[in-house]
């Protein structure tokens, strides 16, 4: 099956190589197992599959819901926060899912410097 993406060139290729050099497959395994334990979701293996399965933010929203549900004494900010998952394939709706996940993390008490940027 042919990929419908062109190979990265120039600066994009250098950035991709640098990112892949830093990729930690041990950390990936730990995260995959944790997500699977909490949500029952299999997000695949390897950078490409993991990114593809997390890209729309749906698994991330389910993960946040599972963490919230499994926490006996939620922080007050988290207790009043509603995690809404959107199943639309539209890119801006997928970005909304990721923003909901990040906001849920923030309300839970995860420091902002431990969260990833969107964009």
């Amino acid at each position: 099956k042919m990929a419908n993406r062109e190979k990265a060139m120039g600066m994009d290729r250098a950035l991709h190589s640098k990112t892949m050099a830093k990729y930690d497959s041990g950390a990936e395994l730990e995260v995959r197992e944790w997500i699977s334990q909490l949500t029952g979701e299999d997000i695949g293996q390897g950078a490409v599959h993991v990114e593809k399965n997390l890209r729309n933010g749906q698994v991330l929203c389910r993960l946040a819901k599972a963490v919230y549900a499994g926490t006996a004494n939620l922080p007050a900010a988290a207790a009043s926060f509603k995690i809404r998952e959107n199943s639309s394939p539209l890119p801006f709706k997928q970005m909304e899912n990721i923003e909901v996940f990040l906001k849920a993390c923030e309300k839970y008490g995860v420091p902002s410097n431990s969260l990833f940027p969107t964009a």
Side-chain angles (χ1 to χ4, degrees), residues 30-48:
E30 205 174 316
V31 169
R32 285 184 13 239
E33 288 175 349
W34 182 61
I35 289 173
S36 180
Q37 270 184 326
L38 291 175
T39 67
E41 302 274 346
D42 178 3
I43 61 168
Q45 184 175 352
V48 172

Side-chain angles (χ1 to χ4, degrees), residues 30-119:
E30 205 174 316
V31 169
R32 285 184 13 239
E33 288 175 349
W34 182 61
I35 289 173
S36 180
Q37 270 184 326
L38 291 175
T39 67
E41 302 274 346
D42 178 3
I43 61 168
Q45 184 175 352
V48 172
H49 295 290
V50 170
E51 186 273 334
K52 179 182 172 197
N53 289 312
L54 295 179
R55 181 184 308 149
N56 66 19
Q58 292 175 9
V59 172
L60 296 175
C61 286
R62 288 182 212 131
L63 177 62
K65 286 179 187 176
V67 169
Y68 273 41
T71 303
N73 297 312
L74 275 174
S80 63
F81 185 69
K82 300 288 183 226
I83 300 169
R84 292 190 177 91
E85 174 187 339
N86 194 310
S87 60
S88 172
L90 297 172
F92 75 95
K93 290 295 186 180
Q94 294 175 354
M95 182 59 88
E96 281 179 13
N97 283 340
I98 294 168
E99 289 169 0
V100 165
F101 169 77
L102 292 171
K103 183 63 89 176
C105 292
E106 179 185 306
K107 299 284 187 186
Y108 192 81
V110 176
S112 60
N113 64 352
S114 294
L115 299 174
F116 57 86
T118 59

Side-chain angles (χ1 to χ4, degrees), residues 10-28:
M11 193 73 133
D12 288 339
R13 185 175 182 175
L15 182 59
H16 177 74
S17 294
K18 185 175 180 181
T19 301
M20 291 312 296
K22 292 181 181 181
Y23 196 79
D24 183 343
S25 57
E28 176 204 300

